[in-house]
Amino acid sequence: MTYSCAYFRTPEDTLEQAQMNKVHHILNKLNSKPGESIIDIGCGWGTMMFTAAKEYGLKAKGVTLSQEQYDYVKNKIEEENLTDQMEVILEDYREIDEKFDHVVSVGMFEHVGEKHLEGYFKTVKKMLKPNGSALIHGITGQHEGLGVDPWLVKYIFPGGYIPDIKENIGHIMDAKLQIDDLEPLRRHYQKTVEIWRHNFLKVEDKVKEMYGERFVRMWDLYLQGCAASFESGNIDVIQYLLTNGPSGTEMPMTREYMTDLDRKTAE
């Protein structure tokens, strides 16, 4: 129940391992401490939230506009007796009037649309406590205008928009957020999409029964086109580590902590 770009620590990692690698890589980058608060903007099916709460000891909140995702996460919180540590809300993220130690958002800003990008980053700023940190993960073009494809916008992601790095950096600066780290994960997303296509083809006949041959051909073209775009450098995926003000003593001096597999968590 986890999607977007996975993170392959080794070529042998399964997709499931790589998706969890991604979750831990993001939470490690935030340099969080047990008892701190975190919000996941566009929380999906809750993998990030549950990992943050159960393994990092964070008080986690998720926000989504999907009734199905809200119901799924809410039920799981109750089933696992985590209501004192976790919460999910069905709401527009811009309406949240609360501050957090950390903000995370994965694969979200590509869907807000060009005219709402400035407001997206300003909302991240508004949600952060002083010196709080945010990890924003999303598809970003390295070359202006190349990330927007009319076919994808019409058939796969209506209203979607892929900003380039310069565009996002401008919005980050306008929001008065501090950039602590940028990491491109282009090859990781290429490998992710290639595995998605492999898995899709294994159930192609079943999907064809459900949605028809036209859908199957369209989805296959989408997956192949995305893999080719990542491979060629047409598009990238960037993790932006941001802080609300200079990070000062709140963050380590060097980047080794981000990949420290022995980093202590709530356990």
Side-chain angles (χ1 to χ4, degrees):
M1 305 297 282
T2 302
Y3 40 76
S4 185
C5 174
Y7 185 71
F8 294 87
R9 290 190 179 276
T10 73
E12 292 75 31
D13 285 346
T14 65
L15 179 61
E16 290 76 13
Q17 288 172 323
Q19 289 290 12
M20 290 311 301
N21 290 345
K22 182 258 302 285
V23 170
H24 287 290
H25 192 50
I26 287 172
L27 293 171
N28 284 345
K29 280 187 174 185
L30 292 170
N31 194 43
S32 62
K33 308 293 188 299
E36 293 180 335
S37 59
I38 186 170
I39 185 168
D40 187 351
I41 301 175
C43 64
W45 305 99
T47 304
M48 184 75 66
M49 295 171 57
F50 283 96
T51 306
K54 294 164 67 174
E55 299 187 38
Y56 290 76
L58 300 178
K59 292 187 177 298
K61 177 175 283 191
V63 57
T64 179
L65 288 176
S66 164
Q67 184 70 53
E68 292 85 357
Q69 290 177 349
Y70 170 80
D71 292 340
Y72 177 88
V73 175
K74 186 173 185 296
N75 290 336
K76 190 174 179 182
I77 290 172
E78 293 171 355
E79 288 171 3
E80 299 195 16
N81 297 314
L82 291 168
T83 52
D84 60 337
Q85 195 176 352
M86 294 182 65
E87 181 186 5
V88 62
I89 54 177
L90 186 68
E91 189 171 315
D92 189 313
Y93 71 98
R94 294 169 292 187
E95 301 301 318
I96 297 174
D97 188 19
E98 188 177 350
K99 293 191 180 296
F100 302 86
D101 296 297
H102 308 286
V103 172
V104 65
S105 189
V106 179
M108 167 68 181
F109 67 64
E110 306 97 305
H111 302 284
V112 304
E114 182 178 9
K115 66 180 181 180
H116 298 298
L117 271 172
E118 179 181 4
Y120 171 84
F121 283 103
K122 287 183 176 178
T123 300
V124 170
K125 162 80 172 182
K126 183 186 74 170
M127 287 180 171
L128 281 174
K129 295 179 181 179
N131 294 319
S133 59
L135 195 289
I136 310 300
H137 168 123
I139 300 175
T140 310
Q142 289 223 27
H143 302 283
E144 189 173 1
L146 291 182
V148 181
D149 180 85
W151 185 85
L152 280 175
V153 170
K154 181 173 182 179
Y155 293 108
I156 308 296
F157 294 120
Y161 176 75
I162 305 300
D164 58 63
I165 290 180
K166 180 174 67 175
E167 196 172 352
N168 273 350
I169 296 299
H171 292 315
I172 290 166
M173 293 173 65
D174 290 343
K176 302 295 190 290
L177 288 161
Q178 188 93 359
I179 299 172
D180 268 39
D181 189 79
L182 298 181
E183 182 179 10
L185 298 176
R186 176 179 61 83
R187 294 174 63 196
H188 293 268
Y189 217 160
Q190 176 192 342
K191 187 174 178 68
T192 301
V193 176
E194 288 172 347
I195 296 175
W196 283 346
R197 181 171 184 260
H198 174 77
N199 291 343
F200 173 71
L201 292 179
K202 288 194 296 185
V203 294
E204 179 180 355
D205 290 340
K206 183 176 180 180
V207 177
K208 188 180 297 184
E209 289 178 11
M210 297 168 65
Y211 300 113
E213 183 177 352
R214 183 173 183 267
F215 176 87
V216 168
R217 293 173 61 192
M218 187 177 294
W219 202 252
D220 191 27
L221 178 60
Y222 152 60
L223 293 173
Q224 291 193 68
C226 284
S229 273
F230 284 117
E231 182 177 28
S232 68
N234 182 45
I235 52 177
D236 207 326
V237 59
I238 306 288
Q239 288 189 349
Y240 303 80
L241 180 61
L242 311 172
T243 54
N244 185 14
S247 59
T249 58
E250 302 298 317
M251 301 294 280
M253 289 279 282
T254 63
R255 302 177 79 251
E256 282 81 1
Y257 81 97
M258 298 181 183
T259 56
D260 181 5
L261 298 180
D262 296 321
R263 183 177 180 272
K264 291 182 180 179
T265 66
E267 296 181 332

